[in-house]
Amino acid sequence: DSGVTQTPKHLITATGQRVTLRCSPRSGDLSVYWYQQSLDQGLQFLIQYYNGEERAKGNILERFSAQQFPDLHSELNLSSLELGDSALYFCASREDRVNGELFFGEGSRLTVL
Amino acid sequence: AQSVSQHNHHVILSEAASLELGCNYSYGGTVNLFWYVQYPGQHLQLLLKYFSGDPLVKGIKGFEAEFIKSKFSFNLRKPSVQWSDTAEYFCAVTASGGYNKLIFGAGTRLAVHP
C-alpha cells in the first residue's frame, strides 16, 4: 500500500460524458501528479500540483482539467469523453523534500464506450 | 525537453537467465533517474533510484542499475530472474532538484517462464 488513494477504481461511461477522478495523497505530501497510461501512448505526464497551485503541465488535453484543494486532495475532470480517453489514470504524490520519491496510487481505469 | 527511450518493448526469459533492460535519456542538465516496476494489476513501485554519487545503484529484489553519464544511459540489470519478476518495467527521469515532473519511458514488458 503506497498511501495514495484513488477513486473510483473502475469507471465505465459513454462518449460525450464527463467524469471526475479523485486522488488523496499520502499524509504530509504536498505534491500531486497525474499520469495517463494507455496501450498506445505509454505513461504520459498530465499535470502537477503543489500545495494547491499548478506547477507543471504535460500532455493534458483542453477537455481535461484538474485542481488541488486546501485539504490537498486532487481531482482530475475529464469532459466530452472520447473512445480514445479510455486509459488507466494514475495519481502520485511526492515526498515533501528536494528529490523526494513519488508514490503511486492504484489507478482509476476509465472505459469510454 | 526531457525524454526517455527504452529499447526493448518485450523481453521473454527463462528463470535464472540474466536480465539487462536498456534505458537512454535526453536532457542537457543534471538528472535524477529511476526504475519503476508494475506487476500485473498493480500500481507502480520504485525499484531503485539514482541522484548522485556511486553510479552503480542497488535496488530491491536483487535489481541494480548503472548510470553512465557519457552514454546518457541507466540500464537495469538482474543476474538471475525469477518467475515473480514478470512485470512491466519503466525507466524515468527528472531534472535534478526541486519538484520537477517525472518523465517515463514507454516501458518494457518482461515475461519470465519457469
Side-chain angles (χ1 to χ4, degrees):
Chain A
D1 181 12
S2 66
V4 178
T5 304
Q6 288 187 250
T7 57
K9 286 189 171 26
H10 301 275
L11 191 54
I12 302 174
T13 189
T15 54
Q17 294 299 305
R18 173 191 168 95
V19 298
T20 297
L21 310 180
R22 181 188 170 104
C23 169
S24 294
R26 293 185 335 141
S27 176
D29 290 352
L30 301 179
S31 289
V32 169
Y33 300 72
W34 285 98
Y35 287 85
Q36 179 194 57
Q37 185 180 34
S38 58
L39 285 175
D40 56 342
Q41 297 278 342
L43 203 59
Q44 296 285 317
F45 168 71
L46 295 179
I47 198 164
Q48 175 200 354
Y49 281 84
Y50 178 79
N51 202 20
E53 293 188 6
E54 183 184 302
R55 193 54 90 86
K57 233 174 186 177
N59 301 322
I60 188 166
L61 300 171
E62 285 192 12
R63 300 183 285 108
F64 296 0
S65 65
Q67 54 183 324
Q68 186 179 27
F69 294 86
D71 67 353
L72 301 177
H73 90 271
S74 178
E75 292 181 357
L76 179 67
N77 301 297
L78 316 174
S79 61
S80 303
L81 285 168
E82 301 175 0
L83 296 177
D85 297 328
S86 295
L88 193 54
Y89 292 84
F90 282 108
C91 167
S93 73
R94 190 166 198 165
E95 289 181 301
D96 190 29
R97 59 180 177 85
V98 173
N99 297 329
E101 182 180 329
L102 256 69
F103 293 86
F104 283 82
E106 294 191 356
S108 292
R109 183 170 293 283
L110 173 66
T111 303
V112 182
L113 301 176
Chain B
Q2 302 145 253
S3 66
V4 180
S5 175
Q6 292 184 238
H7 316 302
N8 318 97
H9 294 294
H10 291 91
V11 173
I12 302 173
L13 295 173
S14 298
E15 275 193 318
S18 64
L19 170 72
E20 180 159 5
L21 301 182
C23 171
N24 285 89
Y25 67 93
S26 172
Y27 182 68
T30 306
V31 294
N32 297 328
L33 296 155
F34 306 80
W35 275 97
Y36 279 84
V37 61
Q38 187 178 24
Y39 297 103
Q42 295 189 26
H43 60 88
L44 287 106
Q45 301 170 47
L46 183 67
L47 268 182
L48 49 79
K49 58 189 177 185
Y50 172 80
F51 289 152
S52 63
D54 188 346
L56 185 61
V57 180
K58 293 195 183 300
I60 60 171
K61 305 187 181 187
F63 286 91
E64 65 178 31
E66 185 175 13
F67 171 52
I68 304 179
K69 190 175 180 179
S70 61
K71 295 184 178 180
F72 297 90
S73 71
F74 190 56
N75 292 354
L76 181 71
R77 298 194 293 250
K78 185 171 185 178
S80 176
V81 295
Q82 300 172 313
W83 175 79
S84 58
D85 293 324
T86 295
E88 189 158 16
Y89 293 80
F90 294 91
C91 181
V93 63
T94 183
S96 183
Y99 298 86
N100 302 299
K101 59 183 183 285
L102 204 60
I103 303 299
F104 285 87
T108 298
R109 286 184 185 270
L110 171 66
V112 179
H113 294 299

